Amino acid sequence: MAAAAATAAAKGNGGGGGRAGAGDAVRGPGRRPDDLPREAHPGRPGSDGERRQPRWLVIAVGLVRAYLAKGSYHSLYYSIEKPLKFFQTGALLEILHCAIGIVPSSVVLTSFQVMSRVFLIWAVTHSVKEVQSEDSVLLFVIAWTITEIIRYSFYTFSLLNHLPYLIKWARYTLFIVLYPMGVSGELLTIYAALPFVRQAGLYSISLPNKYNFSFDYHAFLILIMISYIPIFPQLYFHMIHQRRKILSHTEEHKKFE
């Protein structure tokens, strides 16, 4: 349920298996306009990339302003809490966009990415107030913000048929740091929430009850943390492979020029 992992797979930061991220994948030098991601295709006004990039810029500017005002990075989450919740919850529309074909990405992986972020924001960070001041929250927020700004900058320049190498390089390189950074922030935040979830019995259902059903939210969060173990290495090394393939094509193209 790693939000950062699913972002990379569903949105094409590192490609993906099968159809996942197919529309977002960079196909190397010499790509025709038809090869652009559908949401960044010329002639599509109000593309997803154009609409969403300003949202993450709002969050980035909010973080910088709060840091300059406070002189400290601690508890910066409160300065961007409302826009982060609003924008990330609004991203649920991306699932619909995939389902009806507006965005050519996997519905399953896009759902996984969006829902995992929404879960982390609402079911962990919002629900367990004690973790909101943890530095780990700022860690995944910064990772998400930089990742999304780079991704939608890539879409915007593709829309203009002028993709600077620096943007392309950043999209396929900075995940090397941002991906582990985001995953670490997510895991540390969930871990910090565990004692408070257990103490309050948050979202847990105990027996006996008329439905004869029990649910331990504390155990559920532990299972989510464990699920990162098989997901993270596979996607991370797949993204490394994609980086080599994409950037090597670019270098070969430059030599021919």
Side-chain angles (χ1 to χ4, degrees):
M1 195 164 181
T7 302
K11 296 300 177 187
N13 272 349
R19 186 172 171 271
D24 290 349
V26 176
R27 293 170 175 84
R31 40 194 310 228
R32 304 181 307 277
D34 288 345
D35 291 332
L36 290 174
R38 192 180 306 175
E39 64 270 46
H41 198 289
R44 292 181 64 89
S47 68
D48 190 57
E50 289 180 292
R51 289 193 305 268
R52 289 202 60 201
Q53 186 177 0
R55 305 178 188 180
W56 290 97
L57 286 174
V58 167
I59 293 174
V61 170
L63 286 172
V64 172
R65 290 181 62 184
Y67 175 75
L68 293 176
K70 292 183 177 181
S72 172
Y73 63 86
H74 296 294
S75 302
L76 289 183
Y77 171 76
Y78 299 109
S79 65
I80 49 87
E81 178 182 7
K82 290 182 179 179
L84 179 64
K85 288 177 178 177
F86 180 76
F87 295 151
Q88 193 56 63
T89 304
L92 290 168
L93 288 174
E94 285 193 24
I95 301 173
L96 177 61
H97 293 166
C98 292
I100 63 179
I102 295 177
V103 178
S105 296
S106 165
V107 176
V108 173
L109 284 178
T110 299
S111 300
F112 182 83
Q113 176 237 328
V114 173
M115 293 303 297
S116 62
R117 285 189 177 186
V118 171
F119 174 85
L120 192 63
I121 288 174
W122 288 103
V124 179
T125 310
H126 171 79
S127 300
V128 185
K129 305 295 184 184
E130 292 83 357
V131 304
Q132 294 178 1
S133 59
E134 292 286 333
D135 293 340
S136 58
V137 173
L138 185 61
L139 203 61
F140 73 71
V141 169
I142 290 176
W144 291 1
T145 302
I146 297 175
T147 297
E148 295 302 309
I149 289 175
I150 292 172
R151 180 157 67 95
Y152 288 107
S153 295
F154 179 92
Y155 289 164
T156 300
F157 282 107
S158 294
L159 182 67
L160 298 173
N161 285 327
H162 180 70
L163 179 61
Y165 177 76
L166 179 62
I167 299 295
K168 185 176 184 179
W169 177 88
R171 190 183 183 206
Y172 289 96
T173 301
L174 295 186
F175 77 85
I176 295 173
V177 174
L178 294 175
Y179 184 7
M181 176 180 169
V183 168
S184 298
E186 294 165 20
L187 285 172
L188 288 171
T189 300
I190 296 174
Y191 180 77
L194 289 177
F196 302 105
V197 169
R198 168 172 278 180
Q199 182 179 6
L202 184 67
Y203 300 143
S204 296
I205 302 173
S206 58
L207 293 171
N209 58 66
K210 63 179 181 179
Y211 300 107
N212 196 31
F213 170 79
S214 64
F215 175 72
D216 188 339
Y217 186 57
H218 179 270
F220 178 70
L221 290 179
I222 292 175
L223 288 176
I224 288 178
M225 294 178 69
I226 293 174
S227 73
Y228 278 66
I229 297 174
I231 293 174
F232 175 79
Q234 292 184 51
L235 287 178
Y236 189 72
F237 288 112
H238 176 74
M239 290 154 63
I240 292 288
H241 174 74
Q242 286 296 106
R243 177 184 183 275
R244 291 184 187 136
K245 182 170 67 173
I246 299 299
L247 295 186
S248 65
H249 287 167
T250 303
E251 292 299 327
E252 289 174 7
H253 182 63
K254 284 183 175 181
K255 290 178 181 178
F256 283 113
E257 290 179 339

